[in-house]
């Protein structure tokens, strides 16, 4: 029998694995002891951690904790999805969908604006008809992450409801709302024997089928975050008929084949065999003790530990999320999932391929190359027919946009927000101004599952106007808290601000392999094109940072000045758009060189692009 890991790990990586075993064992011991503690001791530890925080924290941290404490506490302490929505005056419904393999999935629904609870929505011929939007969460999450914000204006689902959508939320098997099966118990290993494959083959299509059957609609629009996008990539690739039931797929912080993790210790685990991960975390749910630490620790300390973990694993700084938002949202961040689903991601990262779960464990020592005789099936994502709109962060270490676009259809459109990290798409201070309009453009353009040329034309024109609108000078913009939060104090004192930005689009673009559905916006005069979107300027609107509170404890956008449910077109404040010629023969590359396919645009604060005279069109 070969020696495990021989030839696969370096000596330092052996040490990392041994250290991981020790830490996991210690954590398990502490968890067992904690479960046996009486309530008064749990309260003692909580109060002790609070005193430690107050003793060593800086005055700014204390102010961040006290600022908007009532709202943050209400969001943090809300026990479930329904109560989170009630904080802001919205009533939610709970539904149960059964998958074909017997898992019971919890679904949530927001169908009413405030005061419309008596209306019948999508419930028969005499009911109010609304278009359906389906939102799905990421890894180790549940549907609460969409609604645990400290500002109503920054909550995408509430915006969608006010715009007249029937909004549904999915939950993966095994998490807080889907921890039941008609065949097995959650205490059994068999219950947790699932990976991304089961999400793709059962959870997503069966949830969509239930929603369409309940609403009597023919199709819906899909918005995914992180792993929620990977599940959509997979399920649309293996269910051709499902493409005729999804109008558009909007991927926020998309995940398909991450380049790798930032920390060397975790990267060593990625290279290790699945047996090591199962040995570390077991074959049931992974990191199930996270709720224990939340109970024991004072919220600001728990928040700091989460930040340290995110920095350790992914090198995320989380500067775009305010301290009060972290205090409110981090307790809702974690939910149960299987160890096997995380192992599946490690396989994808190790093989640099968006593939199905590999049940065949290769021996570390082999006479010949295993890949010569066996190959794990890849998800055929190039077969997806549903329009795909990617919105990703330029500072997100989990997104490899070049690799992703190579595996997607050429009509895929990608927009980069340079200063955004992964979680910013849920909770950033300025998520409403940076992200929402990209979502609204896609939803307003692709209104059914026919995916016609007219829909693509409408989307490209609408998107073109938004990108022009995102390029107005910073001084006249709404501003971005996330931009100001990263400025140094010296820059602020000296009046430093991001330079003005303006969209720049070329007069001519190579037409080799360009999709036929792209409209001929290039024939429109530049002045006429800019005149079609005067509202995007929104000059004179109050900035969220005008108060000068630019630290991590800045208050979220309570003064956005935004009209609820309005049709005003908005771009990302202070954006930078540059257009390169098409590279490598597929699609159009905007603001990113040598992308194999798709349309890629940078949006947000980065650099300065000055329009060249005579350049018109997209």
């Amino acid at each position: 029998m070969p020696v495990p890991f021989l030839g696969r790990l370096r000596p330092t990586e052996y040490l990392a694995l041994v250290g991981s075993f020790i830490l996991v064992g210690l954590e398990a011991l502490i968890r067992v002891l904690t479960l046996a503690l009486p309530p008064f001791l749990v309260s003692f530890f909580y109060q002790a951690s609070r005193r430690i925080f107050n003793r060593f924290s800086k005055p700014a941290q204390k102010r961040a904790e006290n600022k908007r404490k009532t709202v943050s506490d209400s969001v943090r302490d809300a026990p479930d999805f329904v109560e989170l929505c009630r904080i802001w005056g919205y009533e939610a419904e709970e539904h149960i969908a059964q998958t074909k393999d017997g898992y019971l999935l919890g679904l949530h629904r927001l169908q009413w604006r405030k005061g419309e609870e008596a209306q019948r929505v999508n419930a028969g011929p005499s009911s109010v008809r609304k278009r359906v939007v389906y939102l799905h969460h990421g890894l180790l999450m549940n549907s609460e992450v969409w609604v645990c914000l400290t500002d109503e204006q920054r909550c995408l689902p509430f915006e969608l409801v006010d715009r007249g959508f029937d909004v549904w939320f999915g939950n993966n098997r095994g998490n807080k709302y889907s921890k039941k099966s008609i065949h097995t118990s959650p205490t059994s290993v068999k219950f947790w024997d699932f990976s991304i494959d089961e999400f793709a083959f059962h959870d997503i299509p069966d949830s969509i089928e239930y929603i369409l059957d309940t609403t009597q609609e023919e199709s819906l629009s899909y918005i995914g975050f992180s792993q929620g996008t990977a599940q959509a990539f997979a399920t649309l690739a293996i269910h051709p008929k499902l493409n005729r039931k999804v109008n558009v797929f909007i991927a926020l912080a998309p995940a398909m084949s991450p380049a790798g993790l930032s920390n060397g210790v975790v990267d060593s685990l990625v290279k290790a065999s699945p047996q090591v991960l199962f040995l570390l975390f077991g074959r049931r749910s992974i990191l199930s003790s996270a709720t224990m630490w939340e109970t024991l620790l004072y919220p600001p300390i728990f928040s700091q530990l989460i930040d340290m973990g995110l920095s350790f694993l992914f090198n995320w700084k989380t500067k775009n999320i305010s301290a009060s938002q972290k205090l409110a949202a981090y307790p809702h961040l974690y939910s149960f999932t299987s160890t096997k689903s995380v192992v599946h991601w490690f396989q994808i990262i190790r093989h640099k391929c968006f593939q199905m779960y590999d049940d065949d464990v290769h021996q570390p020592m082999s006479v010949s190359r295993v890949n010569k005789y066996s190959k794990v099936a890849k998800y055929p994502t190039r077969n997806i027919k549903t329009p795909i709109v990617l919105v990703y962060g330029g500072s997100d270490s989990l997104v490899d946009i070049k690799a992703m676009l190579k595996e997607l259809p050429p009509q895929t459109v990608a927009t980069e927000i340079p200063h955004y990290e992964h979680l910013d798409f849920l909770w950033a201070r300025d998520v409403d101004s940076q992200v929402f309009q990209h979502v609204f453009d896609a939803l307003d353009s692709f209104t059914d599952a026919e995916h016609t040329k007219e829909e693509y034309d409408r989307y490209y024109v609408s998107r073109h106007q938004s990108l022009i609108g995102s390029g107005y000078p910073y001084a006249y913009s709404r501003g971005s808290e996330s931009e100001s939060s990263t400025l140094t104090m010296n820059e602020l004192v000296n009046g430093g601000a991001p330079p003005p930005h303006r969209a720049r689009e070329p007069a001519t673009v190579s037409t080799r392999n360009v999709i036929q559905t792209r409209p001929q916006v290039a024939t429109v005069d530049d002045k006429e094109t800019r005149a079609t979107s005067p509202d995007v300027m929104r000059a004179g609107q109050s900035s969220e940072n005008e108060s000068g509170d630019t630290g991590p404890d800045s208050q979220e956008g309570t003064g956005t000045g935004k009209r609820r449910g309005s049709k005003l077109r908005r771009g990302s404040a202070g954006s930078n758009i540059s257009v390169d010629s098409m590279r490598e023969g597929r699609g159009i590359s905007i603001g990113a060189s040598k992308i194999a396919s798709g349309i890629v645009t940078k949006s947000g604060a980065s650099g300065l692009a000055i329009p060249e005279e005579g350049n018109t069109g997209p």
Side-chain angles (χ1 to χ4, degrees):
M1 174 179 283
V3 179
F5 319 123
L6 187 61
R8 300 182 67 180
L9 299 177
R10 296 186 292 271
T12 55
E13 293 169 341
Y14 280 110
L15 293 176
L17 287 176
V18 173
S20 300
F21 278 116
I22 295 174
L23 291 175
V24 171
L26 179 62
E27 191 265 352
L29 177 62
I30 295 175
R31 185 185 181 207
V32 171
L33 295 176
T34 303
L35 292 175
L37 291 177
F40 77 89
L41 280 181
V42 174
S43 176
F44 169 78
F45 283 119
Y46 178 87
Q47 295 298 331
S49 64
R50 179 177 182 174
R51 286 193 293 270
I52 293 172
F53 173 81
N54 290 330
R55 173 67 178 81
F56 294 101
S57 61
K58 300 177 181 178
Q61 291 175 301
K62 294 180 180 179
R63 289 196 301 270
E65 180 201 1
N66 294 326
K67 182 177 290 186
R68 305 187 62 207
K69 190 172 184 179
T70 302
V71 174
S72 293
D73 287 353
S74 298
V75 174
R76 184 187 69 218
D77 298 335
D80 54 35
F81 183 93
V82 174
E83 291 301 321
L84 282 167
C85 295
R86 282 177 180 163
I87 293 173
W88 303 107
Y90 295 88
E91 287 296 324
E93 284 185 352
E94 296 181 279
H95 293 254
I96 302 294
Q98 180 177 326
T99 65
K100 292 180 175 61
D101 60 345
Y103 283 80
L104 303 181
L105 309 180
L107 301 175
H108 294 109
R109 183 185 190 187
L110 284 173
Q111 56 184 311
W112 301 299
R113 298 185 181 99
K114 296 176 184 178
E116 295 182 348
E117 290 78 10
Q119 280 188 350
R120 295 174 65 249
V121 177
N122 292 339
S126 60
S127 64
V128 177
R129 307 306 300 178
K130 294 185 177 182
R131 289 171 53 204
V132 178
V133 177
Y134 176 76
L135 283 74
H136 205 90
H137 59 80
L139 177 66
L140 292 166
M141 297 179 178
N142 61 53
S143 54
E144 294 175 11
V145 298
W146 294 104
V147 293
C148 60
L149 288 100
T150 55
D151 284 305
E152 180 181 353
Q153 292 85 356
R154 294 186 299 115
C155 183
L156 178 60
F158 297 159
E159 280 288 309
L160 294 173
V161 170
D162 287 346
R163 284 174 172 258
F165 288 94
D166 186 358
V167 185
W168 289 73
F169 305 79
N171 283 287
N172 286 339
R173 60 182 65 197
N175 79 6
K176 176 179 178 178
Y177 297 102
S178 306
K179 209 172 180 180
K180 190 172 180 61
S181 169
I182 63 174
H183 300 305
T184 58
S185 167
T187 59
S188 68
V189 174
K190 186 176 181 181
F191 178 91
W192 299 99
D193 186 24
F194 59 81
S195 66
I196 299 174
D197 295 347
E198 282 69 33
F199 299 151
F201 278 96
H202 299 292
D203 290 14
I204 298 298
D206 291 346
S207 295
I208 290 177
E209 182 179 350
Y210 175 89
I211 293 169
L212 294 180
D213 182 65
T214 302
T215 59
Q216 301 176 20
E217 289 288 300
E218 295 183 356
S219 60
L220 54 74
S221 300
Y222 185 105
I223 302 175
F225 168 76
S226 189
Q227 182 179 279
T229 68
Q231 294 174 211
F233 287 133
T235 198
L236 290 172
I238 61 179
H239 294 96
K241 293 183 179 179
L242 193 64
N243 286 260
R244 297 196 290 270
K245 298 180 180 180
V246 179
N247 305 331
V248 62
F249 167 29
I250 303 169
L252 305 179
M256 178 182 284
S257 180
L261 303 181
S262 300
N263 184 269
V265 174
V266 181
D267 200 50
S268 299
L269 293 177
V270 172
K271 299 174 184 176
S273 63
Q275 281 88 335
V276 172
L277 298 175
F278 286 128
L279 188 59
L280 281 170
F281 302 109
R283 289 187 175 269
R284 293 181 174 85
S285 62
I286 190 171
L287 300 176
S288 56
S289 60
T291 53
M292 174 199 72
W293 294 109
E294 179 192 340
T295 303
L296 287 176
L297 298 176
Y298 188 47
I301 295 179
F302 179 75
S303 177
Q304 289 180 5
L305 286 178
I306 296 295
D307 281 343
M308 290 169 60
L310 295 176
S311 176
F312 177 77
L313 293 174
F314 310 113
N315 197 30
W316 297 338
K317 306 306 180 184
T318 64
K319 292 182 178 180
N320 300 326
I321 306 174
S322 71
S324 57
Q325 178 62 68
K326 293 176 184 178
L327 291 173
Y330 280 178
H332 300 279
L333 177 61
Y334 173 82
S335 196
F336 300 100
T337 193
S338 68
T339 303
K340 185 176 180 180
S341 64
V342 179
V343 171
H344 192 171
W345 273 116
F346 284 0
Q347 292 179 351
I348 291 171
I349 294 173
R350 183 168 62 248
H351 296 293
K352 299 181 180 180
C353 175
F354 189 51
Q355 63 181 35
M356 297 182 182
Y357 185 82
D358 186 2
D359 294 289
D360 183 20
V361 180
H362 305 309
Q363 296 294 336
M365 296 180 63
S366 179
V367 176
S368 59
R369 294 179 59 186
V370 177
N371 291 340
K372 182 177 180 180
Y373 301 101
S374 65
K375 181 177 177 63
V376 181
K378 290 176 56 178
Y379 284 106
T381 49
R382 291 191 185 94
N383 296 343
I384 297 175
K385 304 302 180 185
T386 297
I388 301 173
V389 175
L390 310 177
V391 188
Y392 68 99
S395 301
D396 186 353
S397 60
L398 291 182
V399 176
D400 186 346
I401 194 64
K402 294 183 180 181
M404 190 178 299
L405 287 174
K406 289 179 181 179
E407 300 300 326
L408 292 174
Q411 67 267 26
T412 300
V413 179
T415 302
E416 177 189 353
I417 303 179
H419 62 296
Y420 261 36
E421 296 173 338
H422 207 67
L423 294 177
D424 295 341
F425 288 90
L426 292 175
W427 304 323
R429 296 179 181 88
D430 56 356
V431 65
D432 53 339
S433 63
Q434 294 286 354
V435 176
F436 286 9
Q437 190 58 49
H438 300 301
V439 175
F440 300 151
D441 284 343
L443 292 177
D444 293 342
S445 300
F446 299 100
T447 55
D448 58 50
E450 293 299 322
H451 312 147
T452 62
K453 177 182 182 298
E454 288 72 21
E455 287 185 322
Y456 277 99
D457 290 353
R458 185 164 59 240
Y459 172 66
Y460 283 120
V461 171
S462 177
R463 180 172 179 272
H464 178 69
Q465 293 173 346
S466 291
L467 294 177
I468 291 176
S470 70
Y472 57 89
Y474 181 87
Y476 297 99
S477 75
R478 175 175 180 270
S480 164
E481 286 192 52
S482 58
E483 293 164 7
S484 60
S485 67
T486 60
L487 295 176
T488 65
M489 184 58 64
N490 183 56
E491 290 172 322
L492 293 173
V493 170
N494 295 329
H501 310 289
R502 186 173 298 278
R504 179 177 67 86
E505 298 175 318
T508 60
V509 178
S510 170
T511 57
R512 179 188 173 194
N513 270 349
V514 178
I515 54 171
Q516 297 300 313
T517 54
R518 192 173 191 278
Q520 299 301 319
V521 186
T523 61
V524 182
D525 181 74
D526 188 60
K527 294 182 180 179
E528 294 177 357
T529 303
R530 294 175 187 272
T532 60
S533 56
D535 291 330
V536 297
M537 302 290 288
R538 306 182 68 194
Q541 195 173 46
S542 60
S543 170
E544 293 178 9
N545 352 320
E546 284 178 354
S547 63
D549 188 2
T550 59
D553 59 336
S554 298
Q555 182 171 335
E556 294 89 339
T558 56
T560 57
K562 176 174 52 180
R563 284 190 236 166
R564 307 285 293 166
S566 68
K567 295 295 184 180
L568 288 178
R569 182 167 306 285
R570 300 177 303 174
S572 302
S575 296
N576 167 44
I577 315 299
S578 61
V579 185
D580 297 330
S581 298
M582 179 151 41
R583 307 299 177 97
E584 299 186 11
R586 294 184 60 196
I588 303 172
S589 173
I590 305 183
S593 62
K594 299 184 179 178
I595 303 284
S597 64
I599 299 175
V600 185
T601 304
K602 289 185 179 180
S603 175
S606 174
L608 173 62
I610 304 298
E612 296 179 4
E613 193 170 1
N615 283 359
T616 60

